[in-house]
Amino acid sequence: MRAALLIQRWYRQYVARLEMRRRCTWNIFQSIEYAGEQDQIKLYNFFSYLMEHFTPASSERSLISHIFRENDVVHDTEWERYFCYKNIEVSDGYHGPHLTFPMTFCEASKLVEAFKHKQLLHSRYVLQLLGEAWKLLRILPNINHVCTCHSKEITICGDLHGQLEDLLLVFYKNGLPSPEKPYVFNGDFVDRGKSSMEILLILFAFLLVYPNDVHLNRGNHEDHIVNLRYGFTKEVLGKYRVHGKKILKLLHKMFSWLPLATVIDGKVLVVHGGISDTTDLNIIARMERHKYVSALRPPKRRHQSAGGNRRSPRCTEGGEERSHHGAGGDGPGPGSRHGVQRRSLHGGAAVEEELRRRRQQAGLSQSLHELRRLVSSSSSSADDDDDSDPQPRTPDRDEWNQMVALLWSDPMAQDGCEPNQVRGGGCYWGPDVTEEVLGRHHLQLLIRSHECKQDGYEFCHNRKVLTIFSASNYYEVGSNRGAYIRMGPDLVPHFIQYQSSQTCRNLTLRQSVGRTERSALCALREQLFAHKSDLLCAFQHYDSNNTGTISLKHWASAMEGVLKLGLPWRVLRSQLGTSTQDGMLDYREWIQELVFSEPKHELSNASILETMYRNHSNLETIFRIIDTDHSGLLSFEEFRQTWKLLSTHLKMEVDDEAIADLALSIDFNKDGSIDINEFMEAFRLVALTAPS
């Protein structure tokens, strides 16, 4: 008996230690992820500052002005001409799937099989499928209302983030979408994973086949600015080199038309991020969601000239857009799910009647005459120059805040509502806010996604808020399980968990934790290496006698002061190398142990190298913004402008000679241009030895 108790005690301690390691690993991954999102929003806020405060002729402003034109509005019919697929031929050498329209279940399931076998859909079919889905999205309401019945359950999926294997596994376990198997996909379909495009095409295909049984909510990653940093832009341009820019532009438009929420049986609210203390579903139902091509910035409209001249999308022979400015609206606002064909809103009593009917179905009170009067009164003369400063209407800040909360917010344990400083966008809301918002709208449960959970799901706020996350192995193989929800007429959620990786399923708990822990520590060491200079200065601040050693307390304080990741540094110290002697740590030796491979190209300016490591993602984001033709190449002058823009953002001086030296060192074929992908890969940190 005593032996059994000792074994039981040992096993409990063993499991507790593994759980502590797992939680610590999780904190590392999550802290680095949220720091990256915060950095992204800071960079975009910096761009916004340039747009609002720099003169139109300034070089910094002209470099990034085109990304803000995404919020300009033109007529949908003009965009439809720009996105036309009919002049794209399918060659005899194409061996991928061939699609016919209107889309059927067989066509959609054929697409799933093709993507399962790594086939690429031809750009003609991509544009045709997306164009049809765009027409449908434009008549959907902001909030979809769906109901269960005694014969079927509804399935709710969380973030997929480009991980096609997770979506395929859900379909394998649960079945393909159909009237008997309705689905809600709760945003963040793209970024991070390598198959975002395939996921979108599958979801839009089934949306076309079953518009009343497939429901898509917008996530914070359905945003063209976020896509620049987290991989979706790069993926599309890599897979579709000829027509990639046109496909991206169409997807940007489609993202802005995705519905914002789904309500099940009038009792369960499904949104991607969350709510705030000001969330009002009545306001959300009425807003013109398509204005927010990027939810990171309120929309600003360019006004129509007094003569009625408007600049519409035009193409060069290479299919590149020259301008897309205009004052016409995208249409009447969100409409009904009934009917999939949207007519052109240009003249005719029948069109006016259709517009009036759809506004009534959507619950919008303004008449057609009032709408036109508002548009007319807001139209004024505008400079046709691309770089002119847009004169905006005052944006509805409350409406914009409503959308940001839906896409970016996270729950917290404490009562109240406060800005989400960790992510940099949205808010943290507490149990009291959940009670108030659900009670005001006669709801009983809020289902949201947006946060990776180790088990794929998690309840909080007295089980009135449920987080669902469907991308398994999100940070690393074995880091988390994916999950989806089945919900019947009783509105009780049932969870199905899974791991899409066969490798992970074959690992023991100890092996899985160890593998994930090594990956997390490697990511953390990259952060430490990129901040070596700042860390050394912080350590020296505590080492007034220049002994080269500091206490563990001071070491932990310096680490948090520089990286601001909120990690248990004293717990992590032994895993980050260097033992202590008499409670003192040799910080110079510790920094030398942060060994990563150096680039093959020697630089005369070491500060540029460290800046590059530290701002690797920001640098790539700016590169892709400046690369307006999406060629993947930058001239020396564009490269110099990129660094000047980054140095302005970081409030640091970068010498022109050092930038020129860097450009020459990476111009591999000496043609006067720099390949963005090769450059970013050449200066990516790679650990020489795995952390112990």
Side-chain angles (χ1 to χ4, degrees), residues 258-270:
L258 285 169
L260 303 175
T262 301
V263 175
I264 302 172
D265 289 350
K267 293 295 182 182
V268 178
L269 174 65
V270 185

Side-chain angles (χ1 to χ4, degrees), residues 473 476-479 499-509 511-512 515 518:
N473 308 303
E476 173 59 57
V477 174
S479 63
Q499 284 275 9
S500 64
S501 170
Q502 183 64 43
T503 303
C504 183
R505 290 197 290 268
N506 293 333
L507 296 177
T508 65
L509 176 61
Q511 290 171 331
S512 177
R515 178 172 181 160
R518 286 191 294 273

Side-chain angles (χ1 to χ4, degrees), residues 480-491:
N480 67 285
R481 285 183 280 185
Y484 60 91
I485 298 169
R486 282 187 189 145
M487 181 175 284
D490 59 2
L491 300 181

Side-chain angles (χ1 to χ4, degrees), residues 130-146:
L130 294 180
E132 292 299 313
W134 185 38
K135 292 176 186 177
L136 174 57
L137 288 174
R138 278 147 50 193
I139 63 172
L140 299 186
N142 293 343
I143 303 175
N144 283 317
H145 289 267
V146 300

Side-chain angles (χ1 to χ4, degrees), residues 28-47:
I28 294 172
F29 278 131
Q30 203 165 60
S31 295
I32 293 175
E33 178 191 9
Y34 290 172
E37 290 185 347
Q38 187 181 112
D39 213 24
Q40 158 80 14
I41 292 178
K42 284 180 180 177
L43 182 64
Y44 191 72
N45 289 341
F46 164 69
F47 291 158

Side-chain angles (χ1 to χ4, degrees), residues 274-279 405 409-420 426-437 440 446 460-462 465:
I275 56 176
S276 72
D277 54 356
T278 61
T279 294
S409 295
D410 293 308
M412 64 178 181
Q414 301 80 21
D415 282 347
C417 188
E418 59 189 48
N420 191 332
C427 69
Y428 279 118
W429 87 91
D432 59 329
V433 175
T434 296
E435 287 280 352
E436 194 277 326
V437 172
R440 179 156 35 93
L446 168 62
C460 64
H461 294 184
N462 300 315
V465 173

Side-chain angles (χ1 to χ4, degrees), residues 610-652:
E610 188 167 330
T611 300
M612 197 161 6
Y613 286 145
R614 188 181 308 174
N615 298 279
H616 195 273
S617 296
N618 279 345
L619 196 58
E620 184 169 6
T621 300
I622 299 174
F623 276 153
R624 301 208 179 274
I625 289 172
I626 291 179
D627 179 27
T628 53
D629 61 356
H630 298 298
S631 65
L633 300 174
L634 294 179
S635 67
F636 279 9
E637 177 58 24
E638 288 174 327
F639 185 77
R640 187 189 70 81
Q641 291 173 334
T642 298
W643 272 96
K644 286 297 183 183
L645 199 59
L646 181 64
S647 64
T648 305
H649 171 51
L650 299 176
K651 298 180 176 64
M652 59 175 285

Side-chain angles (χ1 to χ4, degrees), residues 158-219:
D159 298 33
L160 289 165
H161 278 301
Q163 297 185 188
L164 180 61
E165 60 274 15
D166 286 308
L167 180 61
L168 296 178
L169 185 55
V170 171
F171 285 164
Y172 173 77
K173 294 169 76 72
N174 195 63
L176 293 173
S178 69
E180 293 72 37
K181 293 275 185 184
Y183 277 82
V184 175
F185 294 95
N186 200 24
D188 276 13
F189 318 120
V190 303
D191 280 333
R192 302 187 188 276
K194 297 179 180 179
S195 303
S196 298
M197 194 68 207
E198 287 76 8
I199 286 177
L200 283 178
L201 291 172
I202 289 172
L203 297 184
F204 286 138
F206 279 109
L207 176 68
L208 288 172
V209 179
Y210 302 116
N212 295 311
D213 301 294
V214 175
H215 310 277
L216 308 180
N217 289 344
R218 185 178 183 178

